[in-house]
DNA sequence: GCGACAG
DNA sequence: ATCTTGTCGC
């Protein structure tokens, strides 16, 4: 793999990311969550996409795709490692969502093209990036109260909101993926958070992608 | 030159 | 991300 070429590709794609809200924004009735996990020591990439109804936030569909891993993890190039599997899972959906949450950064990336932005652009759906760790940029320490907020700044521009979704939990990094402003991204993440650190779409995608016990229970003991 | 570094 | 049980704290 040629990192210089991938870096150039990121700059090109990043220039096409829409950081503003859509002129016509209607309330979504279906919101998706996407996440990626690995198996067999990393040789297999497993992507999961879940569909939740809104505003009830109930799981209505989940798809999992497994493909041979094509690239190693290199900070700043995560999307090239994860998007092939995500696209495979996306194609398996019986219906497409109106809003998409992706586990990872959106524009809060060195070249402004985190996995949420890259994948969001590929499927061309309003997308939000929800990351659990900082990749770049700086922010002031948050107070301990849940709801504490601080802008993630880099080179003079705000790239995300650092938001403490729950008490005694590390904050989340919420950013524009594609076709959603940073403020609107935060508003949707807040509306979809129900008492846990992660918003429901990413929480379920995470559970499905990594075979969490909570999900297996729901999966193996239905009805 | 010395750290930092999504998942 | 993943390897992994119990355990400390609210």
């Amino acid at each position: 793999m040629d990192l210089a070429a991938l870096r150039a590709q990121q700059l090109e794609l990043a220039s096409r990311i829409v950081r503003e809200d859509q002129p016509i924004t209607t309330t979504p009735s279906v919101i998706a969550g996407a996440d990626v996990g690995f198996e067999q020591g990393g040789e297999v990439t497993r992507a999961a996409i879940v569909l939740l109804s809104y505003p009830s936030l109930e799981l209505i569909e989940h798809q999992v795709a497994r493909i041979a891993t094509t690239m190693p993890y290199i900070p700043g190039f995560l999307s090239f490692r994860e998007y092939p599997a995500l696209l495979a899972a996306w194609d398996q959906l019986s219906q497409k969502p109106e809003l998409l949450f992706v586990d990872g950064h959106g524009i809060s990336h060195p070249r402004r093209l985190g996995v949420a932005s890259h994948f969001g652009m590929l499927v061309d759906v309003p997308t939000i990036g929800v990351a659990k760790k900082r990749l770049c940029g700086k922010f002031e320490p948050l107070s301990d109260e849940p709801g504490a907020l601080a802008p993630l700044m880099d080179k003079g521009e705000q790239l995300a909101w650092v938001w403490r979704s729950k008490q005694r939990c590390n904050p989340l990094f919420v950013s524009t993926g594609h076709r959603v402003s940073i403020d609107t991204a935060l508003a949707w993440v807040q509306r979809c958070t129900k008492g846990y650190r992660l918003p429901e779409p990413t929480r379920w995608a995470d559970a499905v992608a990594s075979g969490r016990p909570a999900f297996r229970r729901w999966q193996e003991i239905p009805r």
Side-chain angles (χ1 to χ4, degrees):
Chain A
M1 82 199 98
D2 180 357
L3 292 186
L6 295 184
R7 185 174 284 107
Q9 196 182 328
Q10 292 180 317
L11 294 175
E12 156 59 19
L13 293 173
S15 72
R16 290 193 245 157
I17 291 297
V18 174
R19 302 186 182 192
E20 300 306 318
D21 296 309
Q22 292 300 98
I24 303 174
T25 301
T26 51
T27 298
S29 59
V30 179
I31 296 180
D35 189 24
V36 174
F38 298 86
E39 301 175 358
Q40 299 173 37
E43 290 177 32
V44 174
T45 300
R46 173 185 48 209
I49 296 185
V50 298
L51 254 34
L52 306 192
S53 56
Y54 185 84
S56 60
L57 296 177
E58 293 173 342
L59 188 59
I60 55 181
E61 181 178 344
H62 70 278
Q63 291 297 338
V64 175
R66 296 164 210 277
I67 66 170
T69 300
T70 60
M71 225 186 91
Y73 167 65
I74 301 174
F77 296 88
L78 177 71
S79 67
F80 294 102
R81 171 177 166 81
E82 306 195 330
Y83 87 72
L86 286 171
L87 281 179
W90 179 264
D91 289 335
Q92 292 172 24
L93 294 172
S94 65
Q95 62 177 309
K96 306 311 181 194
E98 295 143 87
L99 181 61
L100 171 65
F101 282 50
V102 175
D103 188 288
H105 288 95
I107 61 171
S108 38
H109 173 282
R111 289 167 295 287
R112 314 302 186 245
L113 194 80
V115 63
S117 292
H118 195 163
F119 184 57
M121 164 157 280
L122 289 176
V123 298
D124 194 28
V125 165
T127 306
I128 294 170
V130 179
K132 298 180 285 296
K133 293 180 181 177
R134 181 195 72 91
L135 173 58
C136 69
K138 298 179 299 186
F139 63 98
E140 297 301 313
L142 296 180
S143 67
D144 302 312
E145 292 85 77
L149 195 64
L152 177 69
M153 305 296 293
D154 188 39
K155 297 176 180 175
E157 67 174 340
Q158 183 184 355
L159 298 182
W161 277 116
V162 184
W163 180 56
R164 193 183 300 290
S165 57
K166 190 172 193 268
Q167 267 189 346
R168 300 181 301 282
C169 284
N170 291 320
L172 258 29
F173 296 80
V174 182
S175 62
T176 292
H178 186 44
R179 298 169 59 183
V180 178
S181 67
I182 294 179
D183 289 352
T184 296
L186 175 65
W188 279 110
V189 169
Q190 296 177 321
R191 282 192 276 264
C192 294
T193 297
K194 300 299 178 212
Y196 294 91
R197 177 159 85 124
L198 299 177
E200 296 301 293
T202 40
R203 191 167 80 85
W204 277 103
D206 200 72
V208 175
S210 50
R212 282 280 161 9
F215 174 68
R216 294 176 118 166
R217 249 193 302 109
W218 176 89
Q219 170 73 131
E220 297 162 16
I221 310 174
R223 180 59 286 290

